[in-house]
């Protein structure tokens, strides 16, 4: 995804939520202390990464997680983080919905204004396998790499809630 925000780190902010009826399956947060986190399956235990802060300039963010090894890494503008081991052998369940910039605590609702994202999110894609580093790097510099095979940004049918606006832009 591409993300730009001027929200300061005075509170936690959700960037991406995928929820099934029973659980938060896959969430990406920016924590109050500025770390980026991946949470799988409603766990209170996340994997955290200490990274430079987002600002008004767009940042390309990619989170990779490999179920078989648990290897988890972040890419910010194509730069790779260290790898951490998280939830080895876990499976992300199907049948849920994705919501950008808000956190569901039930299916479908229980939002808290103080967790909402303010800014711009775009070009969100998801794959069911880990992409090569070089593909992520090319994507971060604007190359039209293969789009997400779980979902791709251009094919998403948006449902708009609250103060969100969809803007069309040539990439
Ligand atoms: Ca919440
Ligand atoms: Ca939640």
């Amino acid at each position: 995804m591409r993300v730009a925000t001027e929200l300061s780190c005075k509170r936690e902010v959700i960037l991406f939520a995928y929820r099934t009826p029973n659980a938060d399956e896959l969430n990406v947060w920016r924590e109050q202390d500025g770390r980026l986190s991946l949470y799988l399956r409603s766990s209170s235990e996340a994997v955290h990464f200490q990274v430079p802060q987002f600002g008004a300039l767009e940042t390309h963010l990619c989170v990779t997680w490999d179920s078989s090894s648990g290897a988890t890494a972040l890419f910010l503008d194509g730069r790779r983080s260290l790898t951490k081991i998280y939830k080895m052998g876990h499976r992300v369940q199907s049948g849920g919905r994705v919501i950008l910039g808000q956190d569901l605590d039930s299916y479908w609702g229980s939002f808290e204004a103080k967790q909402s994202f303010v800014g711009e999110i775009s070009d969100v894609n998801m794959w069911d396998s880990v992409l090569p580093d070089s593909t992520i790097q090319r994507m971060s510099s604007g190359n039209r790499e293969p789009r997400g095979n779980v979902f791709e940004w251009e094919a998403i049918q948006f449902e708009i809630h609250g103060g969100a606006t969809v803007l069309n832009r040539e990439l």
Side-chain angles (χ1 to χ4, degrees):
M1 63 163 68
R2 296 178 194 278
V3 56
T5 179
E6 291 187 321
L7 274 182
S8 64
C9 286
K10 293 198 176 99
R11 62 176 175 90
E12 56 187 4
V13 178
I14 192 154
L15 301 176
F16 179 94
Y18 168 62
R19 190 179 165 100
T20 54
N22 301 321
D24 286 327
E25 283 289 334
L26 193 166
N27 284 357
V28 180
W29 288 84
R30 190 190 71 182
E31 308 288 347
Q32 197 169 4
D33 62 11
R35 291 181 299 173
L36 292 182
S37 312
L38 172 67
Y39 290 80
L40 292 177
R41 189 67 190 180
S42 297
S43 57
S44 49
E45 219 174 280
V47 59
H48 302 287
F49 293 88
Q50 226 158 5
V51 292
Q53 290 311 299
F54 294 139
L57 300 180
E58 245 179 23
T59 302
H60 184 264
L61 165 66
C62 185
V63 181
T64 64
W65 172 74
D66 173 53
S67 172
S68 60
S69 64
T72 311
L74 289 188
F75 292 76
L76 283 192
D77 287 333
R79 286 194 65 191
R80 191 189 210 289
S81 72
L82 76 176
T83 301
K84 299 187 175 187
I85 304 300
Y86 179 60
K87 294 251 178 182
M88 189 192 296
H90 176 75
R91 288 175 73 94
V92 176
Q93 300 301 308
S94 60
R97 294 209 232 175
V98 167
I99 182 163
L100 299 176
Q102 250 300 8
D103 172 49
L104 302 87
D105 290 326
S106 68
Y107 200 70
W108 175 259
S110 308
F111 301 118
E112 293 168 79
K114 64 178 170 54
Q115 294 179 321
S116 65
F117 173 83
V118 181
E120 285 186 18
I121 292 177
S122 63
D123 205 12
V124 185
N125 291 273
M126 183 180 264
W127 289 262
D128 63 4
S129 61
V130 175
L131 300 176
D133 290 10
S134 56
T135 303
I136 297 169
Q137 279 152 7
R138 284 196 300 271
M139 215 180 308
S140 74
S141 52
N143 280 26
R144 303 292 293 164
E145 296 297 325
R147 314 304 283 163
N149 67 353
V150 176
F151 60 81
E152 61 170 289
W153 182 247
E154 287 80 4
I156 293 171
Q157 306 246 308
F158 293 103
E159 248 183 63
I160 308 302
H161 295 272
T165 306
V166 175
L167 296 174
N168 286 312
R169 192 176 89 191
E170 294 271 325
L171 284 179

